[in-house]
């Protein structure tokens, strides 16, 4: 038998597992908790929109146009008032959460898959693959997102699907940049060399040695791009080139309210505020996730 | 001797050169950097070959080439007389395993110790989950870690414990050759000797062949049966450890020995007393690469590179010891 002496310090050194440490950091991070709670609430509202909405978001009523919200002297019949077509504003906000979340999630997922594949390949293989990907990233960065989105939507016509696709195929640049940089860093670690010396195949290396160690950065970019996509959808809808009426979208609501902005500012302020809160919540969560998963915070 | 002549060396390098292209600065032009220059080396079965040289001389590059992790620019690596290129990667992995320098970087922080140590078994499909678990437990015991650590993560361990885990991972498939690339230089001085002793014990227990790399002759000299001294990508001297103190020839080897023999050698970076900094491998000195730092350097040394000449049962590259040029050395 070889040397079987156990380090005398072993007992002391074995502390909490990484899982326990992570849980502690997550629940101890205020920004992350606030962002997560708000986002979970919005998600629940979006999921249970039919149960929660007091009215049909599409039902117009010409006799009940632009009723003010309760806090401006309105009635509880329409807690947040009605818009210029007499549609219940609260119900439209609730259904609008669905549109925003769906666009954010699907666009971030599409661009995440594209950008991660490109970035990881470039970072891991280097050389020519890297040169091609870097070129594509530069091409993409040279195109102003809003203008390209406007052009495409103008040609194909605005619809939820078109907006999601356009954003999904435009917002992969940050994924590619961040994943490329993280992969380059992680591939130099000796555990990757060790796994190669053991005989691990390239797909296995990428999946089990590299991916788990760049996942934290990926999650942060996902949140950022979700917020980005949601804001872009609002901007496109505001310009009339996004989701088409009568679909309830927060950007569209701001757009429809802007004519009456000087007389009934709440028409713009209410959807603007929820948009702001949602993007803030996502960004708080992204920042928080970066904080709790950053290597310098590990023990 | 007779035996060695019949069985091919466990590992052999033939005229290995590795040239990297490096870019200096942002707009600098690309220049070649020869990290390993025409190196031939044999690793016989059962021996411990110590490879010493200052940081940056090409030791790790040589190790990566031996492990098949980097292709050489030119030259051949033979395993048991067979070229490395034609060997199956998995078969090669069973025979040669590395132990790296930095145990903080050599263990995947997202995997449990059991996962890390069992990875070779899983990749090679050896045994079922239960027998793999048992093999891990046994191997951890061999390297002096209790079964408890199986469910812990690298971040919960000290450097010495991590290095034990790395050793367990390297040995779990019972390889024949282990390439130890500075296995102790990232560790606390107090832990270094524990790991060195463990490596020595394991060698006896499993009949291992080691290539033991270090920038510190004091570390190598504990274990090695033969020592190869590397300078600027060349093996400048190859000497059996019995001859190391009395009969080593190269002025660089002697400078390294000096640094070990100073009253407090320690285990950190030894002071070679050579004064001048290590040369930049992009612009190596003319002639003998060591001449700017050599006490015995002559005009010949800066003009012409020395050739390897046999010395005892090894070789040395120095004009002082080349019978054809030695006469110029005594100016
Ligand atoms: N991937 C690489 N690209 C460019 N230069 C490298 C690379 N790897 C090593 N080098 C250079 O090769 C030389 C030898 O490096 P290395 O083998 O790591 O030395 P050692 O292990 O002896 O400290 C150094 O000058 C180093 O900068
Ligand atoms: Mg090295």
């Amino acid at each position: 038998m070889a040397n079987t002496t156990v380090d005398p310090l072993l007992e002391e050194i074995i502390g909490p597992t990484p899982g326990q440490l992570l849980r502690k950091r997550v629940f101890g991070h205020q920004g992350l908790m606030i962002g997560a709670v708000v986002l979970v609430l919005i998600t629940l509202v979006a999921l249970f929109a039919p149960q929660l909405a007091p009215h049909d978001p599409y039902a117009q009523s010409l006799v009940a146009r632009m009723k003010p919200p309760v806090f401006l002297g309105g009635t509880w019949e329409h807690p947040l008032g009605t818009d210029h077509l007499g549609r219940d504003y609260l119900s439209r906000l609730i259904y609008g959460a669905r549109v925003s979340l769906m666009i954010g999630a699907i666009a971030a997922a599409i661009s995440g898959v594209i950008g991660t594949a490109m970035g990881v390949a470039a970072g891991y293989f280097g050389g020519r693959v890297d040169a091609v990907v870097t070129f594509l990233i530069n091409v993409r960065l040279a195109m102003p997102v809003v203008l390209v989105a406007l052009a495409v939507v103008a040609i194909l016509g605005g619809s939820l699907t078109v907006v999601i696709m356009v954003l999904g195929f435009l917002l992969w640049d940050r994924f590619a940049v961040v994943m490329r940089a993280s992969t380059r860093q992680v591939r130099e670690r000796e555990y990757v060399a060790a796994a190669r010396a053991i005989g691990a195949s390239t797909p296995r290396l990428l999946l089990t040695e590299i991916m788990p160690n760049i996942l934290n950065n990926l999650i942060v970019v996902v949140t950022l791009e979700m917020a980005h996509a949601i804001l872009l959808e609002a901007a496109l809808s505001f310009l009339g080139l996004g989701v088409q009426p009568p679909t309830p979208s927060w950007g569209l609501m701001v757009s429809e309210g802007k004519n009456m902005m000087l007389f009934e500012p709440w028409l713009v302020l209410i959807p603007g505020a929820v948009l702001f809160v949602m993007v803030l919540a996502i960004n708080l969560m992204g920042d928080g996730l970066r904080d709790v998963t950053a290597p310098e915070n590990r023990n | 001797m007779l035996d060695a002549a019949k069985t091919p060396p466990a590992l052999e390098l033939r005229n290995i050169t590795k040239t990297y292209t490096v870019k200096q600065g942002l707009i600098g032009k690309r220049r070649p950097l020869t990290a390993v220059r025409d190196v031939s080396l044999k690793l016989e079965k059962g021996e411990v070959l110590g490879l010493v040289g200052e940081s940056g001389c090409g030791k790790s590059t040589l190790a990566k080439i031996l492990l098949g992790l980097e292709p050489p620019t030119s030259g051949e690596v033979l395993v048991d007389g067979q070229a490395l290129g034609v060997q199956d990667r998995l078969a090669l992995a069973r025979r040669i395993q590395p132990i790296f320098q930095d145990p903080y970087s050599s263990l995947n922080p997202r995997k449990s110790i059991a996962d890390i140590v069992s990875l070779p078994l899983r990749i090679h499909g050896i045994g079922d989950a239960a027998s793999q678990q048992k093999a891990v437990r046994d191997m951890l015991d061999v390297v002096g870690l209790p079964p408890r650590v199986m469910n812990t993560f690298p971040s919960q361990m000290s450097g010495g414990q991590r290095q034990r885990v790395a050793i367990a991972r390297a040995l779990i498939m019972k390889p024949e050759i282990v390439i130890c690339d500075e296995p102790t230089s990232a560790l606390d001085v107090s832990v270094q000797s524990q790991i060195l002793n463990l490596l020595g014990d394991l060698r006896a227990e499993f009949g291992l062949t080691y290539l033991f790399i270090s920038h510190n002759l004091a570390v190598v000299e504990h274990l090695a049966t033969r020592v190869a001294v590397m300078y600027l990508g060349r093996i400048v001297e190859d000497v059996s450890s019995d001859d190391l103190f009395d009969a080593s020839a190269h002025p660089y080897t002697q400078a390294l020995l000096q640094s070990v023999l100073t009253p407090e050698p320690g285990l950190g970076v030894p002071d070679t007393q050579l004064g001048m900094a290590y040369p930049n491998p992009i612009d190596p000195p003319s002639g003998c690469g060591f001449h700017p730092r050599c006490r015995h350097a002559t005009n010949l040394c800066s003009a012409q590179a020395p050739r390897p000449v046999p010395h005892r049962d090894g070789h040395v590259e120095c004009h002082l010891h080349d019978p054809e040029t030695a006469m110029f050395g005594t100016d």
Side-chain angles (χ1 to χ4, degrees), chain A residues 190, chain B residues 54-61 64 101 181-182 213 215:
Chain A
E190 285 175 350
Chain B
E54 279 161 287
S55 191
C57 69
K59 307 181 297 294
S60 297
T61 306
K64 281 184 205 146
Q101 169 172 7
D181 188 356
E182 313 228 23
I213 297 174
H215 60 253

Side-chain angles (χ1 to χ4, degrees), chain A residues 236-256:
Chain A
L236 287 174
S237 298
F238 178 81
L239 294 170
L241 286 162
V243 177
Q244 294 303 302
T247 317
S249 140
W250 295 347
L252 205 53
M253 289 168 76
V254 174
S255 171
E256 289 167 345

Side-chain angles (χ1 to χ4, degrees), chain A residues 1-297:
Chain A
M1 180 86 341
N3 188 344
T4 50
T5 51
V6 174
D7 280 340
L9 294 174
L10 194 66
E11 293 290 347
E12 298 160 34
I13 289 163
I14 292 185
T17 66
Q20 289 166 339
L21 286 174
L22 185 69
R23 242 163 285 150
K24 211 168 124 196
R25 284 199 303 269
V26 166
F27 289 108
H29 194 291
Q30 281 188 354
L32 177 58
M33 288 320 287
I34 294 173
V37 166
V38 172
L39 214 56
V40 166
L41 281 179
I42 296 178
T43 311
L44 287 177
V45 166
L47 282 177
F48 295 105
Q51 285 76 30
L52 290 172
H55 296 275
D56 178 351
Y58 298 101
Q60 306 182 359
S61 162
L62 292 180
V63 291
R65 292 168 58 203
M66 288 198 279
K67 288 256 151 84
V70 243
F71 49 86
L72 292 176
T75 62
W76 282 102
E77 170 68 11
H78 300 289
L80 292 182
T82 58
D83 66 7
H84 63 294
L85 295 176
R87 296 174 295 197
D88 182 54
Y89 227 46
L90 178 60
S91 305
R92 289 187 66 74
L93 269 187
I94 290 175
Y95 275 87
R98 290 189 148 184
V99 174
S100 286
L101 275 182
M102 188 154 72
I103 289 184
I106 302 181
I110 294 175
S111 50
V113 169
I114 300 174
T116 304
M118 288 173 63
V120 169
Y124 185 76
F125 296 107
R128 235 169 249 180
V129 182
D130 190 26
V132 170
V133 169
T134 310
F135 174 75
L136 289 176
I137 292 174
N138 285 331
V139 169
R140 161 58 201 86
L141 287 175
M143 305 190 298
V145 175
V146 177
L147 284 190
V148 174
L150 281 178
V152 175
V153 172
I155 295 167
L156 295 181
S159 76
L160 196 57
T161 324
V162 170
V163 171
I164 289 178
M165 286 299 159
V166 167
L167 294 180
F169 283 96
L170 274 178
L171 298 184
W172 50 263
D173 54 302
R174 201 181 325 210
F175 285 101
V177 170
V178 173
M179 290 296 95
R180 173 177 173 270
S182 331
T183 306
R184 277 166 76 101
Q185 209 173 33
V186 169
R187 64 160 284 178
E188 296 305 322
R189 303 275 159 80
E190 285 175 350
Y191 55 80
V192 177
R196 276 176 66 202
I198 288 166
S201 62
T202 303
R204 182 170 196 139
L205 270 181
L206 290 174
L207 279 179
T208 68
E209 306 294 317
I210 304 236
M211 276 310 280
N213 289 291
I214 58 177
L215 207 59
N216 50 350
N217 293 343
L218 180 62
I219 291 171
V220 174
V221 183
V222 166
T223 60
L224 289 177
E225 290 307 316
M226 242 181 101
H228 196 180
I230 288 170
L231 281 179
L232 279 172
E233 180 275 324
L236 287 174
S237 298
F238 178 81
L239 294 170
L241 286 162
V243 177
Q244 294 303 302
T247 317
S249 140
W250 295 347
L252 205 53
M253 289 168 76
V254 174
S255 171
E256 289 167 345
K258 72 175 185 293
N259 296 331
M260 268 71 73
M261 195 164 70
L262 291 179
F263 312 103
E264 308 286 356
W266 54 270
L267 281 177
V268 170
L269 289 181
I270 290 174
V274 275
L275 199 57
F276 171 76
V277 169
M278 175 144 157
V279 171
L280 184 70
I282 295 177
N283 280 332
L284 274 178
M285 205 166 91
D287 271 3
L289 285 173
R290 192 184 51 214
D291 286 350
V292 300
T293 60
E296 56 268 28
N297 278 352

Side-chain angles (χ1 to χ4, degrees), chain B residues 182-240:
Chain B
E182 313 228 23
T184 61
S185 32
L187 303 177
D188 286 348
V189 176
S190 58
V191 185
Q192 290 192 4
S193 54
Q194 289 178 23
I195 296 294
L196 284 178
N197 290 339
L198 174 64
L199 286 170
D201 293 343
L202 291 172
R203 177 188 167 228
E205 189 174 338
F206 295 106
L208 299 169
T209 303
Y210 281 158
L211 176 67
F212 195 95
I213 297 174
S214 177
H215 60 253
N216 189 337
L217 194 56
V219 172
V220 165
E221 172 252 331
H222 270 299
L223 277 171
T225 53
R226 205 153 60 87
V227 175
V229 180
M230 200 165 179
Y231 194 81
L232 264 182
R234 296 283 301 161
I235 307 265
V236 294
E237 178 158 18
D238 173 4
V239 56
S240 82

Side-chain angles (χ1 to χ4, degrees), chain A residues 190-191 194 198, chain B residues 97-108 113 116-117 120 139-140 143 145 154 157-172 175 178-179 183 187 195 198-199 202:
Chain A
E190 285 175 350
Y191 55 80
I198 288 166
Chain B
Q97 277 297 305
I99 297 170
F100 290 114
Q101 169 172 7
D102 181 7
Y104 290 87
S105 153
S106 67
L107 307 181
N108 187 336
I113 300 306
I116 290 170
V117 178
M139 201 64 231
L140 287 175
V143 299
L145 289 171
M157 300 188 125
S158 69
Q161 293 166 339
R162 289 177 190 218
Q163 199 58 300
R164 287 174 195 265
V165 172
I167 293 171
R169 171 180 58 193
L171 295 188
I172 196 158
V178 181
I179 314 266
L187 303 177
I195 296 294
L198 174 64
L199 286 170
L202 291 172

